[in-house]
Amino acid sequence: KKCAYSDGAMILCCCRSASGEYAVTADDYERIRVFRYPVDFSSPLCWTVRGHSSNISNVQFLADDSYLISTEADECCVFQWKIEHLHHLNSQITQMIADSHIEGCIETEAEDNGQAWDDAMMESTDALFKMEVLARDEHFVPRRPWQQQIVAPSSRNFREVTNEPDHDLMLEWIHGYNSTFRNNVLYSSNSNEVLYHVANVVIKRDLNEKKQAYFMGAKDEITCISVHPSKDRSICAVGQKGRHPFVHIFDYTVMELVQVLHGHHQRAISNIRFDRSGKYLCTIGQDLFHTLIIHDWSNGTIKYESQTVTMQTLCIDFCPIGKRLVQCGKGFIRFWELGNSSNLTFSVADLDVKGKLQPFYGIGWIGNSPIIGTDDGFLYMFEGRRLERKVKAHTTSIYAIHYTNEGLVTGSKEGTLKIWGQQLECKRTIDMREHTLGGGEIRSVCWDIDRGKIVVGSSSNEIWEMDLNDDFVEDNNSPITKGNAGCDAWVLAAHPFEARFITVGSDRYLRVWCAFQHILLKFIELEMKSYACSYSPDGQFVAVGFASPYNQKNSSSCSLFDGKWVILDEDDEFAVVFEARDASKAVTEIKWSPNGQIIAIGSRDTNIYLYKKDNGVVPRFSMVSIFDQHNSLITRLDFSTDSKYIRSNCDAKELYFFTTENATCDIAPSRIRDLTWETQTCTLSWAVHGIWPRQNDGTDIAALDCNLKSNDGNYIIAAGDNFGRLKLFNFPCLSPRSLSKSYHGHSGLVSGVKWIGTGSHLVSCGRKDQAIMVWKHSVDDVAVVN
């Protein structure tokens, strides 16, 4: 079974010595490690050796433990290691632990050794030397290609600041919601607010004042949500992902934490539900047997606990009357009885010949009879555990069910809503495909009978509120929230001088957002998915780069469309005014020159294509040169202020400089060390090399921007990484010891970061969580003056 170190390395194979005293592991970082057996995982001290260049397929001791044999599958290599000092391993480890100067420097896999570095620097040179000798190999990051290309300006009149920046960010608005999970859009107790989640944030949307409030206490991506049934208590509970995931229970009136439940589940919490009294909270984990736990949440104790099934659980709910719980999922339905002495017993659903085992997505109730939605579009009505009746409700899967005293509302995969009475008679059908962008599936429904309204979440990451007497209740038929859809949202681009920005992604839509009013201004459908976009310097045109067609399954046909890019005229409803295709693979970066005469196209084929504008009012461009020095896909491009030079980054961590006149000529960094750059989006350059951590902790800076257009010259760097963190650094950031301010909201890689206008707002975009977050930027003026 594969295991993981804290640095992300996966153990590929292991072996115990014939004497039973030692264990050897090989990981995907090409390291071979020798431990004493049995291994103490709280402090796994080891010897590390290297030699392989790719994944190690096997390691074995010889019978007399004199040699260790390791094999490498990719290169077909066999290594023979002689064991000479294995018997000294225990004594050397003991000596290292006893040394007070270096204690903690070579300790466990999970320990952060940043403090050890600081202590060594402050103590003595001897302590530093000892730390370097005995620290783990992965702490020493090899010198990357880009680090050999950075040169400081000739005049050192810049201010090198390592203290924490005086700038701050406050989350002002979030576009979108997480439609990956179901049944996660709920009314609050007063029904004038809607609760939903995206990334690591729970959002409370006030429907009257159109404001948002946030609970940001979750430590990882939120997976499920439940609201306390009592109208007198404003309590909400959320579950999340994680090795040992948390349950956070908070008061959504003030968005303050009330209780935390932790240490009971593994991997993630897939389902969460309050019982009818609100005293107990049921959670189901994503461990092998999907453990079911019923908590007395106010006391933080467990009332019931039991393993369930290996199949995925899709929905749970308590019976309105009595101590019963229904659990359904992929191919099973279970009815649980809650005993008086913490005993849980279950019975399996009797489907007879009427029903069949399949995925069951939702649970509703008519009286005390459960109504369960099926994958083939039926509603199953049970008496006890026996299937009593089934009704054909939809033509496709029923993904969402919500029940009230007046009946049920169901949402389906094909995008239709149906209202059902107490006798399972259909009273109304609503086709949401006429309103949702892209005709999304219904992922969540919630019916407020007091107000006669239903809130609906769709797979297009939109939330709508509907009136059962009329149609949509929002002005101009606009939803409560809109967001990016598809598998991921890649990039965003800010207008050069207006408070708006655009986003593109794999859903084939280009969206224009207002950063101040927090609304979607307009959108157009693109012919292919897009990974790159950029505004022209005058803000009239938008350049968009494409990848293969959205639904193209034939890989050979896909390659015929990769690399295409177009120019759209925003003043003419985004009409295509120019298009070209010279790259052989997807376009990954686009940038206009400051004078608007040149467009640089970075591609997955590792090349950068330069286009110059022809004479004329309508933009027409001709390719003039290709820069082909990079060894991986192009990630970032920056133009100099005079439009004569370009610097570029690629996925192989390379930094190059070249002229716009002759892109085939690589320029020595020392020749252009005093250049000023129009933008700072390259994550690998001299002015930002301090944002990278001192140690190899797995951090990858995925997006970066600096407010170089700030009127007061008080520049600040905003950087997003692969752990979902958004950080602020002083500009320039020249030391890895520079302090920063960190903000948590995204649940994964931050694919886009852009300052709006002169820097009043910052927009960040998550690649997988698809959340678009607008942050209000503020500066401590007193601190800046001092």
Side-chain angles (χ1 to χ4, degrees):
K1 182 180 178 180
K2 292 184 178 181
C3 303
Y5 293 114
S6 63
D7 60 4
M10 302 300 297
I11 298 177
L12 303 178
C13 51
C14 62
C15 177
R16 188 181 66 177
S17 64
S19 64
E21 297 182 20
Y22 307 102
V24 171
T25 65
D27 58 42
D28 57 354
Y29 284 5
E30 297 89 40
R31 298 175 299 197
I32 296 177
R33 293 183 167 186
V34 184
F35 299 85
R36 288 196 62 83
Y37 184 86
V39 180
D40 180 8
F41 285 101
S42 64
S43 181
L45 298 171
C46 63
W47 279 355
T48 303
V49 293
R50 300 175 183 269
H52 291 278
S53 62
S54 62
N55 288 346
I56 301 169
S57 58
N58 202 355
V59 289
Q60 288 290 332
F61 281 98
L62 295 186
D64 59 356
D65 291 341
S66 60
Y67 290 92
L68 177 73
I69 308 299
S70 60
T71 59
E72 182 179 333
D74 294 342
E75 300 295 337
C76 301
C77 294
V78 178
F79 281 62
Q80 178 175 309
W81 307 85
K82 187 174 181 180
I83 309 298
E84 291 184 344
H85 303 291
L86 198 59
H87 60 282
H88 295 307
L89 178 60
N90 189 42
S91 61
Q92 291 197 13
I93 288 176
T94 304
Q95 181 182 355
M96 286 189 289
I97 294 178
D99 193 325
S100 61
H101 288 287
I102 59 172
E103 184 173 358
C105 299
I106 46 90
E107 291 261 347
T108 65
E109 285 292 331
E111 186 171 354
D112 180 8
N113 292 325
Q115 187 61 42
W117 171 272
D118 295 336
D119 294 343
M121 291 295 289
M122 297 299 294
E123 289 286 339
S124 66
T125 306
D126 293 339
L128 177 60
F129 288 159
K130 290 181 180 179
M131 191 201 73
E132 290 180 347
V133 171
L134 297 170
R136 299 201 305 268
D137 289 348
E138 61 270 23
H139 289 167
F140 300 101
V141 182
R143 189 170 178 83
R144 299 293 181 87
W146 69 274
Q147 293 173 322
Q148 304 173 19
Q149 294 285 92
I150 57 175
V151 179
S154 57
S155 60
R156 300 185 62 87
N157 56 359
F158 51 84
R159 197 164 51 107
E160 183 174 344
V161 181
T162 60
N163 60 308
E164 188 178 81
D166 301 316
H167 301 245
D168 202 3
L169 296 176
M170 182 181 67
L171 186 58
E172 188 172 277
W173 198 264
I174 299 180
H175 296 282
Y177 97 103
N178 195 336
S179 64
T180 305
F181 307 100
R182 296 174 300 103
N183 302 316
N184 57 351
V185 182
L186 306 172
Y187 280 113
S188 66
S189 58
N190 62 20
S191 300
N192 291 320
E193 299 164 340
V194 173
L195 294 166
Y196 56 97
H197 62 85
V198 61
N200 296 358
V201 184
V202 180
I203 303 171
K204 180 181 69 175
R205 171 69 187 270
D206 190 315
L207 300 178
N208 294 331
E209 299 184 9
K210 296 185 178 180
K211 294 181 179 180
Q212 288 184 349
Y214 313 103
F215 174 75
M216 304 182 69
K219 301 178 183 298
D220 211 323
E221 183 178 20
I222 298 173
T223 57
C224 50
I225 184 172
S226 181
V227 173
H228 196 283
S230 173
K231 291 186 177 295
D232 299 328
R233 301 201 65 180
S234 55
I235 297 296
C236 179
V238 292
Q240 64 178 53
K241 292 181 179 180
R243 179 176 296 180
H244 298 288
F246 290 78
V247 174
H248 289 89
I249 303 169
F250 62 96
D251 185 335
Y252 57 76
T253 300
V254 293
M255 288 297 186
E256 292 182 355
L257 188 65
V258 175
Q259 182 65 277
V260 177
L261 307 176
H262 176 57
H264 309 302
H265 291 292
Q266 297 179 11
R267 301 177 185 171
I269 297 172
S270 59
N271 303 87
I272 191 168
R273 188 74 173 182
F274 282 102
D275 74 334
R276 295 300 181 272
S277 67
K279 180 179 180 180
Y280 297 112
L281 181 69
C282 180
T283 58
I284 292 184
Q286 283 282 52
D287 55 282
L288 180 60
F289 294 101
H290 296 87
T291 301
L292 182 152
I293 299 177
I294 298 178
H295 308 262
D296 185 345
W297 64 267
S298 59
N299 298 323
T301 59
I302 295 177
K303 181 66 174 177
Y304 302 93
E305 181 175 2
S306 176
Q307 293 182 341
T308 60
V309 294
T310 57
M311 291 84 77
Q312 182 181 0
T313 298
L314 298 175
C315 191
I316 56 172
D317 200 7
F318 286 92
C319 182
I321 303 174
K323 294 185 176 182
R324 295 181 64 203
L325 176 72
V326 180
Q327 175 193 16
C328 61
K330 290 189 175 180
F332 74 93
I333 300 175
R334 283 189 173 186
F335 300 91
W336 294 85
E337 297 287 341
L338 282 60
N340 295 325
S341 57
S342 300
N343 291 327
L344 275 175
T345 59
F346 71 89
S347 57
V348 180
D350 180 10
L351 299 181
D352 197 22
V353 296
K354 299 178 184 177
K356 66 177 182 178
L357 292 176
Q358 56 188 301
F360 301 99
Y361 294 104
I363 303 171
W365 300 87
I366 294 181
N368 217 34
S369 299
I371 310 297
I372 298 179
T374 69
D375 187 56
D376 57 4
F378 280 88
L379 290 174
Y380 284 4
M381 182 175 182
F382 288 84
E383 289 294 336
R385 71 180 187 90
R386 183 173 58 87
L387 177 59
E388 181 70 20
R389 179 186 174 195
K390 70 175 185 178
V391 176
K392 183 64 174 177
H394 296 272
T395 58
T396 56
S397 305
I398 301 175
Y399 279 162
I401 298 179
H402 190 263
Y403 61 93
T404 66
N405 295 331
E406 295 184 2
L408 304 171
V409 57
T410 59
S412 68
K413 182 179 180 179
E414 79 253 14
T416 58
L417 284 176
K418 289 191 176 182
I419 313 298
W420 304 85
Q422 292 287 347
Q423 303 300 320
L424 283 186
E425 73 278 10
C426 183
K427 292 185 174 181
R428 185 176 179 184
T429 300
I430 303 171
D431 192 346
M432 292 294 296
R433 291 173 293 185
E434 301 174 359
H435 308 282
T436 58
L437 190 62
E441 307 164 353
I442 304 301
R443 306 292 293 178
S444 180
V445 293
C446 189
W447 186 0
D448 178 16
I449 59 173
D450 295 332
R451 298 169 61 237
K453 295 176 181 178
I454 297 175
V455 63
V456 182
S458 72
S459 61
S460 56
N461 290 348
E462 298 174 347
I463 299 177
W464 300 81
E465 188 180 44
M466 303 185 63
D467 195 316
L468 294 183
N469 299 318
D470 299 314
D471 285 327
F472 297 92
V473 299
E474 291 285 311
D475 297 335
N476 300 323
N477 288 347
S478 63
I480 293 174
T481 187
K482 284 189 176 184
N484 289 319
C487 299
D488 47 29
W490 272 87
V491 296
L492 55 87
H495 194 279
F497 45 83
E498 294 184 7
R500 65 175 187 262
F501 60 94
I502 58 177
T503 59
V504 294
S506 61
D507 64 346
R508 294 189 305 159
Y509 281 93
L510 182 148
R511 296 173 173 86
V512 184
W513 308 84
C514 179
F516 293 166
Q517 299 178 2
H518 311 305
I519 58 174
L520 179 65
L521 297 174
K522 61 184 76 172
F523 63 88
I524 63 164
E525 186 174 3
L526 304 172
E527 58 181 312
M528 308 175 202
K529 60 184 179 182
S530 175
Y531 294 157
C533 61
S534 178
Y535 267 106
S536 62
D538 60 4
Q540 179 181 354
F541 301 102
V542 177
V544 180
F546 293 131
S548 57
Y550 184 64
N551 288 323
Q552 188 71 42
K553 296 182 179 179
N554 189 330
S555 59
S556 61
S557 299
C558 288
S559 61
L560 299 177
F561 296 90
D562 269 332
K564 180 180 177 180
W565 66 280
V566 298
I567 297 178
L568 309 176
D569 188 348
E570 187 172 8
D571 294 343
D572 190 18
E573 299 297 326
F574 288 99
V576 178
V577 296
F578 177 77
E579 64 179 52
R581 179 185 179 270
D582 293 288
S584 60
K585 294 184 178 180
V587 175
T588 56
E589 176 70 325
I590 290 183
K591 193 65 66 73
W592 293 73
S593 65
N595 60 14
Q597 300 299 308
I598 303 172
I599 293 181
I601 306 291
S603 171
R604 187 173 287 273
D605 64 9
T606 75
N607 294 331
I608 299 173
Y609 301 83
L610 290 187
Y611 295 81
K612 287 194 175 181
K613 186 178 180 181
D614 300 334
N615 294 329
V617 178
V618 179
R620 293 286 187 271
F621 288 82
S622 301
M623 192 184 72
V624 293
S625 56
I626 301 175
F627 182 77
D628 58 358
Q629 299 298 308
H630 281 287
N631 291 298
S632 187
L633 65 93
I634 309 302
T635 56
R636 293 289 181 266
L637 297 170
D638 285 322
F639 275 92
S640 61
T641 305
D642 58 7
S643 302
K644 294 182 178 180
Y645 297 91
I646 296 176
R647 64 183 174 193
S648 57
N649 294 162
C650 74
D651 209 34
K653 307 302 180 186
E654 296 173 335
L655 168 65
Y656 281 108
F657 303 89
F658 56 93
T659 66
T660 56
E661 294 296 330
N662 184 7
T664 60
C665 179
D666 183 25
I667 300 174
S670 57
R671 290 178 51 194
I672 55 173
R673 60 197 306 174
D674 295 322
L675 268 182
T676 57
W677 298 93
E678 181 70 12
T679 58
Q680 177 65 68
T681 61
C682 284
T683 60
L684 313 173
S685 65
W686 174 82
V688 298
H689 70 269
I691 69 174
W692 292 87
R694 295 172 298 185
Q695 297 173 326
N696 186 12
D697 61 356
T699 299
D700 185 21
I701 307 299
L704 181 144
D705 195 22
C706 182
N707 60 339
L708 297 181
K709 296 182 181 179
S710 175
N711 295 327
D712 57 5
N714 192 11
Y715 303 139
I716 190 75
I717 301 169
D721 63 25
N722 54 328
F723 294 122
R725 297 172 298 197
L726 186 63
K727 292 185 177 183
L728 293 183
F729 297 86
N730 288 307
F731 180 87
C733 184
L734 308 179
S735 171
R737 301 173 62 84
S738 298
L739 301 179
S740 64
K741 288 185 177 179
S742 184
Y743 304 87
H744 297 267
H746 293 285
S747 59
L749 185 143
V750 180
S751 58
V753 173
K754 288 293 179 185
W755 291 102
I756 301 299
T758 58
S760 63
H761 287 73
L762 178 74
V763 181
S764 62
C765 179
R767 176 179 173 185
K768 291 299 183 182
D769 61 34
Q770 303 172 51
I772 303 172
M773 300 187 180
V774 182
W775 306 78
K776 175 67 175 178
H777 176 217
S778 61
V779 183
D780 187 348
D781 295 330
V782 176
V784 171
V785 172
N786 294 336

